[in-house]
Amino acid sequence: VDESYGPSVQSLYLLIRRTADAFLQRGDTQKAIDLADKYFEAFPAMNFTYDYQTFAMIDIYVRAEAYDKAKPHMRLLADQLVDRLEFYDSLSPNILSSSYSDSQQRDMYAVRALTQATAEMGDTELQERFQALFAPYMPQQNQGQQPQQLLRD
């Protein structure tokens, strides 16, 4: 995978996120929402991996109370997180700790952020789906479920 575009994307991401945050702080939620819309239009899931940084843009919608716009992106992020968490689970502890520990920690941050956002949104159905989806990957709740089916039904 050619990721040479990474620095340019990162610069644009930070610019958009900071500007959207500034709009929210000023109370101009519609401009923040419009900017988040442009971000997801320019960086669609089919071309760019959703990860912990994507959650920061989803959070613009959540903080602006544009929940209907946030939910589809939350579901896409959750699906991609599960794929990566399954991968981490397939690794030996030595390989995981030496090569993927930081990535796993960032993805677990995104898991916690997603479940917290659903609680803040008051969407108990989505919160329960995410909790069930991620339960097999939470250290204290490994129940061996097949999580992919929950969001892909």
Side-chain angles (χ1 to χ4, degrees):
V1 175
D2 178 11
E3 294 188 5
S4 61
Y5 59 82
S8 297
V9 170
Q10 181 71 9
S11 296
L12 287 171
Y13 162 78
L14 288 173
L15 177 67
I16 292 169
R17 192 179 108 209
R18 287 179 180 163
T19 304
D21 279 333
F23 285 141
L24 285 175
Q25 289 175 3
R26 289 197 307 209
D28 197 343
T29 57
Q30 189 56 53
K31 283 187 180 180
I33 292 168
D34 292 345
L35 203 49
D37 288 345
K38 285 291 183 193
Y39 172 83
F40 287 111
E41 180 183 319
F43 303 106
M46 67 183 192
N47 293 335
F48 295 89
T49 302
Y50 274 33
D51 60 13
Y52 72 99
Q53 290 182 323
T54 309
F55 179 77
M57 291 307 300
I58 293 169
D59 193 47
I60 297 296
Y61 287 141
V62 173
R63 291 172 29 219
E65 298 182 1
Y67 303 141
D68 289 341
K69 289 181 177 271
K71 289 177 188 181
H73 296 289
M74 293 172 88
R75 289 185 179 98
L76 286 170
L77 176 57
D79 282 342
Q80 290 189 24
L81 286 169
V82 166
D83 289 343
R84 288 194 298 274
L85 294 173
E86 285 179 354
F87 169 71
Y88 302 140
D89 272 1
S90 74
L91 300 173
S92 72
N94 290 338
I95 298 294
L96 179 61
S97 66
S98 66
S99 302
Y100 295 97
S101 180
D102 289 343
S103 297
Q104 182 190 36
Q105 288 177 13
R106 286 190 295 267
D107 285 339
M108 291 307 294
Y109 160 79
V111 164
R112 289 186 299 275
L114 274 175
T115 54
Q116 181 179 347
T118 58
E120 291 172 14
M121 292 165 45
D123 189 330
T124 55
E125 180 181 334
L126 190 59
Q127 183 180 16
E128 289 171 3
R129 287 181 93 183
F130 284 169
Q131 287 173 343
L133 181 72
F134 297 127
Y137 308 103
M138 302 308 281
Q140 71 279 11
Q141 298 178 354
N142 192 347
Q143 300 169 358
Q145 298 175 10
Q146 295 298 320
Q148 307 88 339
Q149 296 307 312
L150 294 171
L151 287 182
R152 297 181 185 147
D153 291 341

